[in-house]
Amino acid sequence: MFQRVTAKELKLIIRGVLVLLTIVALGVGVAEHQLTALTQRPVQERFFYIGRNDDHIYSAYAFGYGLTFGSMYPIGTLSLTQRSVIVTIADHTITVPTKIEIDGAKVWYWFAVWKQQFVTEAITAKKTAAEYWRQVKPAVEDTFRILGMKTQQAKQQLEEYMREYR
């Protein structure tokens, strides 16, 4: 009666649920915008928001529900630079990069080397094929000439047979 869900079906179900959640989130945002416009409240459209005030109290707001939390005793700091988030707890610092740069010069160099090798091999193959064709061309032309002559002979014989039977 019950069958296991295959990986392909599970992927399709998860994708559908994510699309549904996206549509719901957008719908809540649009509804909040419309409600703000109708009631003429100050603009405060945040169907998803995480923030911190000056007293280091964090607030999170998602889909109409809010949560506020702070700390009585500081155990660490969280700071943001242009390239990383720095978390400091006790004497340990963890840096999480937010901007990753990749140097593609080596990759492009090897692509250029590969392209040059490919072009060199292609030119060599073209020259080799032209040399083979130069060597084989007389034999091919002779074969076509002989084939043409035999075709003409067969055509003449066929015409003679047709005259005899008329």
Side-chain angles (χ1 to χ4, degrees), residues 86-153:
I86 301 170
V87 179
T88 305
I89 299 173
D91 292 332
H92 302 289
T93 302
I94 301 170
T95 304
V96 180
T98 57
K99 187 175 185 181
I100 300 172
E101 295 179 0
I102 298 173
D103 184 17
K106 289 182 182 179
V107 173
W108 291 118
Y109 168 77
W110 287 111
F111 276 144
V113 168
W114 176 78
K115 177 186 171 193
Q116 186 58 44
Q117 289 175 346
F118 178 76
V119 168
T120 303
E121 289 295 323
I123 291 171
T124 304
K126 181 180 176 184
K127 288 178 182 176
T128 304
E131 180 63 27
Y132 286 149
W133 175 247
R134 189 183 63 73
Q135 292 173 3
V136 172
K137 186 177 179 182
V140 171
E141 288 175 347
D142 288 343
T143 304
F144 277 125
R145 186 178 45 78
I146 293 169
L147 184 63
M149 289 180 3
K150 294 222 181 225
T151 304
Q152 286 295 336
Q153 290 174 356

Side-chain angles (χ1 to χ4, degrees), residues 29-88:
V30 169
E32 195 169 356
H33 175 73
Q34 290 296 325
L35 188 61
T36 301
L38 285 173
T39 59
Q40 296 180 355
R41 289 186 303 173
V43 177
Q44 196 174 17
E45 297 169 20
R46 290 187 229 148
F47 60 94
F48 181 79
Y49 172 75
I50 297 175
R52 179 184 72 150
N53 65 10
D54 292 335
D55 298 328
H56 301 288
I57 296 174
Y58 293 89
S59 299
Y61 181 82
F63 305 114
Y65 296 100
L67 176 67
T68 303
F69 58 94
S71 64
M72 293 183 78
Y73 302 102
I75 58 170
T77 61
L78 181 68
S79 59
L80 176 67
T81 64
Q82 288 184 344
R83 295 180 173 263
S84 63
V85 175
I86 301 170
V87 179
T88 305

